């Protein structure tokens, strides 16, 4: 049993096609393969008997597959009631290899974990990473191991195209379908992706009684990528606009958006695991271009785009981990208060493995002092002797009394 989840339009269906081509290339007959897309509106309203009917029709048309084995590819199967129970029965009773995709992280945290108990291989799929984007542009994308010594590993020509591609990636993002479009058309398509997701995966799935609040709050969240989002403040703003909601409802919507892989909240590096509807968190869009599509001034918000891209790189590296794997850090040391953009580690155990700051540039002395002092103060707290500041195009090594700070350009640090 193979389960692939991710935001809509990130390439899950195409990944199934790739796997089907591989199976045929290995010599298996085409009629042993069934692909079925449950997102087809003609199937609504979904009945749990639908899954059994699909299987019975397939075996009636291909009886040999029942004995010799079959490959089932079920796209967006989370739409059908009791899909997990049905697939568990298939795994137990049929000679079959099963692939299933969906647009909800609950498929990993709830259905797969409870029904299959180690008999399923879960995978998350995201829009193109920076390395994938570079290769999509027809350029070579070295590994991040090479970037540890950028001056030695990268030729001048490679550095030039990586710088250029990084600028494009921060603006255009990793959704493949938007790459060849004009900027205005790309923005409209990304907005359609987000609106379609909130309609299907939030409003319809959870029977939201006020769709305007759900769509308005999503727009606000995506435009806030890389910034703190106060539910209390948004609640007050919505009330002043005549939108009736509650802080608790906004907290639920934020959780639904996260389940749909549209955005991710990043909370404090704390042992506290309970959610507070009045609390604040930073939020990050699933793709820097998704932020740009909803930002009122996308051309000026380079810092938010860069921070969103850095978060998504960390999110790929720490996928399928429990809450708190990526957090932010605010702390006081002496009379000074410090903030670190990203802490990668285990919040429950209070163990940190990686500290990362994000700043477009360290040219401003005040900015440089703030970013360096925060890392210098944080490293001894968690026993790490190295940390990073990701910039747009600066390279430097800063030796401090508590450890080494690597200042790295985004075009090298974002590489896989």
């Amino acid at each position: 049993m193979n389960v692939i989840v991710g935001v809509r339009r990130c390439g899950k269906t195409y990944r199934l096609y790739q796997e089907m081509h591989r199976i045929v290339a290995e010599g298996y007959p085409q009629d042993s393969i069934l692909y079925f897309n449950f997102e087809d509106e003609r199937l609504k309203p979904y009945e749990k008997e639908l899954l059994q009917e699909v299987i019975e029709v397939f075996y009636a048309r291909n009886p040999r597959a029942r004995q010799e084995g079959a490959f089932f590819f079920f796209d967006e199967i989370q739409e059908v009631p009791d899909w997990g129970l049905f697939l568990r029965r298939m795994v137990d009773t049929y000679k079959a290899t099963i692939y299933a995709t969906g647009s909800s992280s609950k498929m990993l945290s709830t259905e797969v974990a409870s029904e299959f108990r180690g008999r399923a291989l879960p995978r998350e799929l995201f829009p193109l990473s920076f390395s994938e984007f570079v290769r999509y542009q027809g350029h070579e994308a070295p590994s991040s191991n090479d970037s540890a010594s950028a001056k030695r590993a990268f030729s001048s020509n490679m550095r030039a195209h990586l710088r250029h591609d990084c600028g494009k990636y921060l603006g255009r993002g990793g959704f493949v379908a938007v790459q060849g479009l004009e900027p205005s058309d790309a923005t409209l398509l990304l907005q359609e992706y987000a609106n379609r997701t909130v309609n299907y995966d939030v409003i319809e799935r959870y029977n939201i009684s006020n769709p305007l609040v759900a769509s308005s709050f999503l727009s606000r969240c995506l435009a806030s990528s890389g910034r703190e989002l106060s539910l209390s403040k948004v609640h007050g703003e919505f009330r002043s606009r005549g939108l009736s909601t509650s802080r608790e409802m906004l907290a639920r919507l934020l959780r639904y958006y996260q389940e749909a892989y549209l955005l991710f909240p990043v909370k404090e590096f704390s042992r506290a695991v309970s959610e507070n509807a009045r609390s604040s968190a930073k939020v990050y869009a699933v793709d820097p271009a998704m932020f740009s599509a909803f930002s009122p001034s996308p051309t000026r918000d380079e810092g938010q785009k860069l921070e969103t891209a850095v978060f998504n790189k960390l999110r790929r590296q720490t996928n399928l981990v429990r809450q708190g794997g990526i957090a932010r850090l605010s702390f006081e040391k002496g009379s000074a208060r410090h903030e670190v953009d990203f802490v990668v580690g285990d919040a429950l155990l209070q163990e940190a493995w990686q500290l990362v700051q994000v700043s477009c540039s360290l040219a401003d002395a005040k900015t440089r002092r703030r970013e360096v002092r925060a890392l210098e103060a944080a490293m001894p707290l968690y026993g790490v002797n190295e940390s990073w500041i990701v910039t747009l195009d600066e390279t430097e090594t800063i030796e401090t009394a508590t450890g080494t700070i690597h200042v790295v350009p985004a075009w090298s640090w974002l590489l896989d």
Side-chain angles (χ1 to χ4, degrees):
M1 174 72 183
N2 302 272
V3 180
I4 304 172
V5 297
V7 68
R8 290 179 183 267
R9 311 305 300 173
C10 71
K12 297 187 298 295
T13 300
Y14 190 82
R15 182 66 191 91
L16 295 186
Y17 292 161
Q18 289 177 319
E19 195 67 9
M20 285 185 272
H21 279 291
R22 181 191 66 80
I23 290 169
V24 172
E26 290 183 357
Y28 293 94
Q30 286 188 348
D31 59 9
S32 67
I33 298 173
L34 169 67
Y35 168 82
F36 200 94
N37 185 359
F38 290 96
E39 200 176 13
D40 193 319
E41 75 282 354
R42 293 171 295 179
L43 301 172
K44 296 181 180 180
Y46 298 104
E47 302 290 344
K48 61 182 180 181
E49 293 79 11
L50 173 63
L51 289 165
Q52 187 61 41
E53 292 175 2
V54 168
I55 299 302
E56 290 176 355
V57 170
F58 171 74
Y59 280 135
R61 294 172 59 91
N62 305 282
R64 187 178 62 177
R66 185 185 294 271
Q67 300 297 324
E68 298 181 359
F71 299 89
F72 293 101
F73 292 83
F74 297 133
D75 216 348
E76 298 295 344
I77 196 173
Q78 83 280 345
E79 305 290 349
V80 185
D82 296 333
W83 69 270
L85 290 170
F86 176 80
L87 292 188
R88 171 61 189 272
R89 181 164 58 85
M90 284 194 66
V91 169
D92 290 340
T93 59
Y94 290 97
K95 186 178 180 180
T97 301
I98 304 169
Y99 298 80
T101 75
S103 304
S104 171
S105 63
K106 287 183 69 177
M107 292 182 67
L108 300 180
S109 61
T110 304
E111 283 89 346
V112 171
S114 62
E115 299 296 342
F116 295 93
R117 298 179 182 87
R119 300 181 65 185
L121 296 175
R123 296 287 186 270
E124 288 182 310
L125 198 64
F126 295 91
L128 297 177
S129 68
F130 177 56
S131 290
E132 292 166 339
F133 179 87
V134 170
R135 291 194 293 271
Y136 186 87
Q137 304 300 315
H139 297 142
E140 181 184 355
S143 72
S144 59
N145 290 333
D146 297 330
S147 66
S149 180
K151 290 184 179 179
R152 175 179 57 81
F154 298 150
S155 66
S156 58
N157 182 60
M158 183 177 293
R159 288 197 297 270
H161 80 64
L162 287 174
R163 287 190 183 100
H164 177 73
D165 288 346
C166 186
K168 290 179 62 177
Y169 180 69
L170 294 180
R172 189 53 67 101
F175 285 95
V176 173
V178 308
Q179 299 306 320
L181 300 180
E182 294 296 323
S184 58
D185 292 333
T187 295
L188 290 174
L189 184 58
L190 289 168
Q191 290 174 348
E192 172 62 22
Y193 284 175
N195 291 330
R196 181 179 176 86
T197 300
V198 78
N199 285 334
Y200 280 100
D201 297 333
V202 177
I203 295 172
E204 185 176 307
R205 180 174 299 165
Y206 293 102
N207 195 25
I208 302 300
S209 59
N210 195 331
L212 182 57
V213 168
S215 59
S216 298
F217 185 46
L218 175 65
S219 298
R220 173 62 184 275
C221 289
L222 291 174
S224 301
S225 183
R227 292 182 177 174
E228 188 172 274
L229 181 74
S230 169
L231 299 184
S232 296
K233 183 177 180 181
V234 174
H235 176 246
E237 291 178 1
F238 279 16
R239 286 186 61 187
S240 67
R241 292 165 51 188
L243 294 176
S244 177
T245 187
S246 66
R247 283 181 288 266
E248 290 73 19
M249 184 64 210
L250 295 177
R252 286 199 299 272
L253 286 172
L254 187 61
R255 187 168 65 250
Y256 299 155
Y257 302 153
Q258 183 178 5
E259 287 176 5
Y261 283 87
L262 282 171
L263 55 83
F264 306 93
V266 173
K267 299 184 178 181
E268 286 287 339
F269 193 64
S270 168
R271 286 190 174 93
V273 295
S274 60
E275 292 195 15
N276 184 350
R278 297 175 181 269
S279 66
S280 300
K282 269 192 170 183
V283 294
Y284 292 93
V286 69
D287 185 77
M290 191 65 81
F291 153 70
S292 298
F294 287 87
S295 171
S297 56
T299 57
R300 298 199 303 269
D301 295 330
E302 289 297 321
Q304 284 179 262
K305 284 188 260 188
L306 177 59
E307 195 167 326
T308 300
V310 169
F311 167 79
N312 280 297
K313 165 73 181 298
L314 294 173
R315 179 65 178 79
R316 285 185 176 88
Q317 291 177 336
T318 56
N319 62 350
L320 302 178
V321 297
R322 67 187 181 188
Q323 185 176 345
I326 306 173
R328 59 182 181 136
L329 180 63
S330 299
F331 66 102
E332 292 183 2
K333 190 170 184 179
S335 60
R337 184 162 188 83
H338 303 286
E339 293 186 2
V340 177
D341 291 322
F342 298 112
V343 181
V344 180
D346 191 314
L348 290 177
L349 297 178
Q350 285 291 282
E351 294 180 355
W353 310 314
Q354 190 175 15
L355 304 174
V356 181
Q357 295 280 54
V358 182
S359 179
C360 285
S361 173
L362 297 182
D364 178 74
K366 184 177 179 180
T367 299
R368 179 187 178 90
R369 185 165 55 251
R370 181 185 68 243
E371 306 291 6
V372 170
R373 284 182 175 177
L375 292 174
E376 188 177 18
M379 284 189 286
L381 291 179
Y382 299 101
V384 297
N385 54 20
E386 286 184 298
S387 56
W388 284 262
I389 302 176
V390 182
T391 66
L392 284 177
D393 195 23
E394 296 174 20
T395 303
E396 184 183 358
T397 300
I398 303 174
E399 298 293 346
T400 74
T402 60
T404 302
I405 300 174
H406 304 281
V407 181
V408 293
W411 52 263
S412 68
W413 190 88
L414 290 174
L415 292 169
D416 296 335

